[in-house]
Amino acid sequence: MSLINCPECGEQISEKATECVHCGASLIEEPIIEKNCLECGAVLSDTDTSCPNCGCPIESIESEEEPQKVELTNVRLSINKKKRNIILVVIAVLVVGCVAGFVIKQKRAERISATYHEKLSNAVYTMFEGAAKAESVGNLIHSVWSNAIYEKEDPETDKYTKEEGTYSFETHFVDDFNTALGNLFADGKFASDRLEIKSNQEEVQALMKELKNPPEEYEDAYSALKEFYDAYTKLVSCALDPTGNLSSYTTTFNEADTNTMNTYKAMSLYIED
């Protein structure tokens, strides 16, 4: 390490000293910052008021350049902030709209499902009432038919299968079962029961039309309902339009009666609360 003379007071100090220990003068050289002309790039001195190369005023260049940069930056920040706020508002509106739409759709689906369930239950109970009446009428038709052929006495069927003889106190079975069935179908109470079954059948048909486009969750229930309806229809037909002979009628009626009960039990699983 060597000594040097302070440029200010002339006293000897270390060459690595950053300031003079005698007079306090700073010994660190400040970096020279060049100032360049904005027009031609020539180096300017601190005392220059205009470029010695192209003559461009130095003060006008500084005064015009800085405010413009600040102003443009502020405008850009303001625009970006507005765009961001608009985007946030649009996103919020879309989210709220989607949620509201989902809730409305869900509520509508629940109403449709509840309405369908109510109509489905109504159809099943209406069909069951008609089937019960058809079963009763079909049993009476079979009893009158059979008792007339086999001349079997029965308090319920005697008034249809028997008639008075020569003397008022004498009765005997009719000669033809068709006469017995004719007596049955001419009976006012029996005719009223058959009319009630016919009315029930028409009501059921109307309900089935309303139910033919089920919601997805009721598709299996509708399939079961159709099977119940098919069995019900055959049973009703036995009551309203008996055909064939006694043997074939008995077979048809018993099958329809059994199928109606079985399909009703299967269908009832879908309407239990």
Side-chain angles (χ1 to χ4, degrees), residues 192-232:
S192 177
D193 288 342
R194 293 179 72 248
L195 186 61
E196 187 177 333
I197 294 172
K198 182 65 176 177
S199 177
N200 176 270
Q201 184 184 43
E202 293 173 354
E203 183 178 357
V204 167
Q205 289 171 344
L207 290 171
M208 289 298 293
K209 289 181 180 179
E210 294 181 7
L211 293 167
K212 69 178 182 178
N213 293 315
E216 184 177 354
E217 65 270 26
Y218 281 99
E219 288 179 354
D220 291 342
Y222 181 68
S223 295
L225 180 67
K226 287 197 297 182
E227 292 182 1
F228 179 37
Y229 174 73
D230 290 342
Y232 156 87

Side-chain angles (χ1 to χ4, degrees), residues 76-134:
R76 187 178 298 110
L77 290 175
S78 177
I79 292 174
N80 289 339
K81 186 175 181 180
K82 287 182 179 180
K83 286 184 177 178
R84 184 187 64 185
N85 290 339
I86 292 173
I87 292 173
L88 290 176
V89 170
V90 171
I91 292 174
V93 170
L94 290 176
V95 171
V96 172
C98 290
V99 172
F102 175 80
V103 172
I104 293 173
K105 184 178 180 181
Q106 187 70 18
K107 292 293 184 182
R108 181 175 178 274
E110 290 175 358
R111 287 196 301 270
I112 292 175
S113 180
T115 301
Y116 192 88
H117 184 274
E118 183 179 352
K119 290 182 178 180
L120 185 70
S121 300
N122 185 30
V124 171
Y125 293 135
T126 302
M127 213 179 298
F128 181 78
E129 290 177 355
K133 178 67 72 173

Side-chain angles (χ1 to χ4, degrees), residues 137-138 140-141 160 184-195 239:
V137 168
L140 184 55
I141 291 173
Y160 308 116
L184 174 64
F185 278 76
D187 182 78
K189 174 63 169 59
F190 184 78
S192 177
D193 288 342
R194 293 179 72 248
L195 186 61

